[in-house]
Amino acid sequence: MTTNKKPWSLLVSVYTTQYIGIAFIISAAFAILRQSGIALDKLALINLVALPMLGKVLYAPLIDSYRLYFKGQYRSWLLFSQFMMTVLLLVCSFLDIQQQFSTILILFIAYTLFMSIQDVAIDGLACKIFQPSERQFANSIQYSSNLLGNIIGGGVLLILYPWVHWQGALWILAILTAISNVQIGFYLEPDNVLVNPHQGVQRQFKSLAQQIKIFIKQHKTWFLLLFIYPIGFTAVFGMLNPLLVDAKWSLADIGFATKIFGSIIGIFSAFFATFLINKLKRKVALLTLTLLQAAALLLFVPLTLGYTSKPLVYIAIFAYFVANPGLMSALSTLIMDRAASMPAKATFFSLQFSLIVFMGFAYSALGLTLAQHIGYTPVVFLTFACALIVTALTWKLLPDTPSENY
């Protein structure tokens, strides 16, 4: 592959394999383990696999500043992380899920660490090689591929599990991950004269800390928006699974509705964001998708009042996924705009995106806590009001053109 040819198929492959494993662990494995008789308090430990994802900004500087012994700054880390992900999946396939749960959990946490390294590396590569006019399409590919991985890992493998069992499911995941590694092996990353690996790493880290301080100060308004943005799309959807469980939905029906149906709709939404950005430009597209997301929240009100028939649930999920992946694509495009101008591209992308991820977990937990005390319905209306406030602040504070304040 030539250095000037954009690796679109590689992007699809890497972003898909990025989520097949984590979707299987968090969604499918949870149901499989519960079916095997694992206690709920033990199953709660599976959430620990998400911890490495919250710390991406801590090791992103290493990925930006140090190259492993393969050609290409980000390609080298991609080769290493994908290989380790494949190995860990194969190792887990030979363990007994009931008798060796603790060992498998530790290996899953290690898997998520390497998946997070892969995520940082591919984001850094995308910031490096894509022009501003290409970034919206690159981010649409990212989220649609993530959703495809979600369908495969969290939905299809769960459906196939009675036939392929634990070992077969892990082998499928490992094979799909290995295919991406072959693609990475044939990809030639363009050189970056700003990166000088293996030389003065300590000096680079000190300089990077200063750059981060200046970057946050320069973009303090943007970081304020990133801090509050997830409140409009995480709290309500985080309540959907327990709400449907309370409504006596089966796990299979919940999984199909939220993982397969929702993700299929989301794939189209992610590419819809590219169309909107091209037609309306970045800020207007973001505002449009945020308002669409706010409107979708109101469709959850009947569900919270006990009207949980399949048509109503599917309409709410449809509306949510029409807006959410597109919204995330638009946000990521704006994040990439700011990161692409910096030498340490992966670090500055992760610095911004990790804030969204962390606050998303926080607002989701807050939503569940509030629902316990005041009920599902007030939380939906409260979140809807917050989404409108976020929209107003974005309209007021976000620059009209991507060149301003960069």
Side-chain angles (χ1 to χ4, degrees):
M1 183 179 291
T2 59
T3 56
N4 62 345
K5 184 179 179 181
K6 300 303 167 65
W8 298 112
S9 62
L10 174 63
L11 210 66
V12 171
S13 179
V14 172
Y15 278 125
T16 300
T17 57
Q18 185 180 99
Y19 262 66
I20 54 171
I22 197 67
F24 178 80
I25 293 167
I26 291 179
S27 300
F30 191 98
I32 292 163
L33 288 168
R34 183 58 179 163
Q35 194 177 54
S36 301
I38 302 295
L40 286 174
D41 58 346
K42 204 171 183 181
L43 284 179
L45 296 173
I46 292 179
N47 291 308
L48 293 174
V49 303
L51 287 177
M53 298 170 65
L54 301 178
K56 288 190 293 186
V57 70
L58 300 177
Y59 42 83
L62 182 67
I63 295 170
D64 276 316
S65 303
Y66 193 82
R67 180 190 300 169
L68 300 179
Y69 291 95
F70 303 102
K71 187 174 181 180
Q73 180 73 23
Y74 300 114
R75 175 182 175 273
S76 65
W77 286 99
L78 284 172
L79 284 169
F80 170 66
S81 57
Q82 290 275 153
F83 174 76
M84 292 304 300
M85 288 162 64
T86 305
V87 169
L88 287 167
L89 290 170
L90 288 173
V91 171
C92 287
S93 73
F94 291 102
L95 300 178
D96 187 285
I97 185 62
Q98 291 179 298
Q99 301 299 322
Q100 297 168 292
F101 174 80
S102 298
T103 302
I104 289 175
L105 179 62
I106 292 171
L107 292 175
F108 276 168
I109 293 172
Y111 171 88
T112 310
L113 171 63
F114 289 110
M115 187 215 76
S116 299
I117 292 173
Q118 178 242 49
D119 186 22
V120 172
I122 191 64
D123 288 339
L125 179 64
C127 289
K128 176 180 177 180
I129 63 176
F130 291 116
Q131 300 300 315
S133 60
E134 299 170 320
R135 289 174 192 153
Q136 60 267 33
F137 186 63
N139 281 288
S140 294
I141 283 183
Q142 174 185 352
Y143 286 99
S144 60
S145 300
N146 285 168
L147 288 166
L148 179 59
N150 199 30
I151 292 170
I152 297 170
V156 174
L157 280 180
L158 184 59
I159 294 171
L160 294 177
Y161 191 80
W163 294 275
V164 299
H165 303 293
W166 177 258
Q167 189 174 75
L170 271 293
W171 281 2
I172 291 172
L173 293 174
I175 291 169
L176 292 174
T177 306
I179 290 172
S180 295
N181 224 29
V182 173
Q183 290 178 283
I184 297 166
F186 284 102
Y187 174 65
L188 298 177
E189 179 183 338
D191 292 330
N192 188 344
V193 295
L194 295 175
V195 177
N196 187 20
H198 303 304
Q199 295 183 22
V201 173
Q202 183 176 358
R203 185 169 64 251
Q204 287 186 39
F205 270 67
K206 185 177 180 180
S207 173
L208 193 57
Q210 295 172 340
Q211 290 177 42
I212 290 174
K213 183 178 179 180
I214 295 171
F215 184 83
I216 293 175
K217 186 176 180 180
Q218 181 184 4
H219 299 287
K220 57 183 180 293
T221 301
W222 173 243
F223 276 92
L224 170 64
L225 291 175
L226 293 181
F227 182 84
I228 63 175
Y229 231 99
I231 198 169
F233 56 81
T234 55
V236 170
F237 196 75
M239 299 188 309
L240 182 58
N241 275 9
L243 190 153
L244 293 178
V245 170
D246 293 346
K248 310 302 182 184
W249 275 49
S250 69
L251 289 178
D253 285 341
I254 294 172
F256 182 84
T258 60
K259 292 295 180 182
I260 297 181
F261 173 75
S263 296
I264 290 172
I265 301 302
I267 290 173
F268 293 100
S269 169
F271 286 105
F272 178 59
T274 297
F275 171 79
L276 276 184
I277 292 172
N278 287 335
K279 288 290 184 181
L280 306 178
K281 306 306 179 186
R282 282 153 163 72
K283 179 178 177 178
V284 179
L286 180 63
L287 290 171
T288 302
L289 288 162
T290 306
L291 287 173
L292 187 61
Q293 180 76 95
L297 298 180
L298 295 178
L299 293 173
F300 285 80
V301 173
L303 312 187
T304 65
L305 295 174
Y307 300 100
T308 53
S309 64
K310 284 191 176 182
L312 288 176
V313 171
Y314 273 83
I315 289 171
I317 292 173
F318 175 85
Y320 180 88
F321 277 96
V322 161
N324 185 257
L327 174 59
M328 292 302 297
S329 295
L331 277 172
S332 290
T333 301
L334 289 161
I335 287 173
M336 189 176 287
D337 284 337
R338 289 157 174 78
S341 63
M342 306 302 294
K345 303 181 192 310
T347 298
F348 287 94
F349 188 95
S350 297
L351 177 68
Q352 299 170 77
F353 198 78
S354 292
L355 182 57
I356 293 180
V357 173
F358 179 79
M359 294 314 301
F361 275 105
Y363 292 136
S364 182
L366 179 61
L368 287 172
T369 303
L370 286 175
Q372 178 69 30
H373 292 90
I374 65 176
Y376 289 124
T377 307
V379 172
V380 174
F381 283 115
L382 185 61
T383 304
F384 173 74
C386 290
L388 295 182
I389 292 170
V390 167
T391 305
L393 288 173
T394 303
W395 175 75
K396 181 70 175 178
L397 300 177
L398 190 66
D400 289 325
T401 63
S403 62
E404 293 181 49
N405 295 334
Y406 279 26

